[in-house]
Structure formats: structure tokens, C-alpha cells
Amino acid sequence: MVLSSFFPAGNKVQPHPANRDLPIHVFHGTQDSMAPESLGQQTVAILREKGYAPRYKTYPMAHAVCPQEITDISAWLQGLLGGALTRRDRDVLQVCMGEMVFWCFCVSISRTQSVEHLE
């Protein structure tokens, strides 16, 4: 899983055949100024050249995490784990993803306001 990032050593890395079927999903903000979306697209292109089949999804956001992205990450992880998850595991994953959204929201707010304004 790749979140608003890039693959700077991508042209130097040689994939091992044991990792050929590794599931990869790249999530990126279309308004990201720290890691522009073009870097995410280049990452996907490099991975495809190396024989991987990465999925790619964008969101109208900057270098951040949004609730829809968290929902999509949760669905992707649950899809990968399939029947390996019990009902309790799925519930725990949903709670963890929800807490991640809350944490990211608080970090985002704290960048623009002091902590006193959050209480």
C-alpha cells in the first residue's frame, strides 16, 4: 500500500519472482504539493514495467488522508484478507480505520489551529 508517496529507487530495484503477485495499491491526492500526483503516476508506471499490476486511485485532496480514502483502504485490506477475517476482525479493522480518520483529522486541524482550539 502506497499513500501519497513515490518510488525514488524504482529504476534500480530488481524484483524477486517470489514477489510477482504482491498486491499493490497506490492512493494519492490530486492536489498534493509535497509529493505531486505525477510522482504517484510514475511509481505506477515503474511498477508496471517491472511486471506488477498496481491499482491506482486519487482523491481531491492535498498531502493528507480523507475519510473516503480510509474507507477504500479498509475495503481493499478486507478484500485481500478475504475469509481469513472473522466478524470480530472486520469490526476491529473498521474501528482502527475510523480512529485513523479521526487522528488524521486532528493532525490536519492542529496544523491550522492551536491545540487549545480543539478542546
Side-chain angles (χ1 to χ4, degrees):
M1 178 170 49
V2 180
L3 302 179
S4 296
S5 191
F6 60 101
F7 196 6
N11 292 323
K12 296 179 177 132
V13 173
Q14 294 302 317
H16 189 279
N19 297 322
R20 183 64 55 209
D21 296 327
L22 183 71
I24 302 171
H25 202 316
V26 179
F27 301 88
H28 212 101
T30 57
Q31 301 154 9
D32 192 332
S33 60
M34 293 185 72
E37 185 190 357
S38 60
L39 293 177
Q41 293 168 346
Q42 288 173 7
T43 296
V44 169
I46 290 168
L47 289 166
R48 287 186 177 144
E49 287 172 11
K50 296 194 176 292
Y52 294 101
R55 294 174 63 187
Y56 185 70
K57 186 156 185 183
T58 61
Y59 304 86
M61 63 181 188
H63 193 72
V65 179
C66 67
Q68 183 59 53
E69 182 180 28
I70 299 300
T71 299
D72 294 342
I73 291 168
S74 178
W76 181 65
L77 290 174
Q78 290 183 52
L80 289 177
L81 297 171
L85 288 178
T86 65
R87 172 72 180 176
R88 182 179 178 283
D89 292 336
R90 284 192 297 278
D91 291 344
V92 168
L93 182 58
Q94 284 297 111
V95 168
C96 290
M97 298 306 283
E99 288 175 359
M100 184 176 170
V101 169
F102 178 74
W103 180 82
C104 291
F105 172 75
C106 289
V107 168
S108 177
I109 294 295
S110 68
R111 289 180 180 165
T112 58
Q113 300 178 16
S114 66
V115 175
E116 294 81 24
H117 287 97
L118 292 174
E119 299 177 340

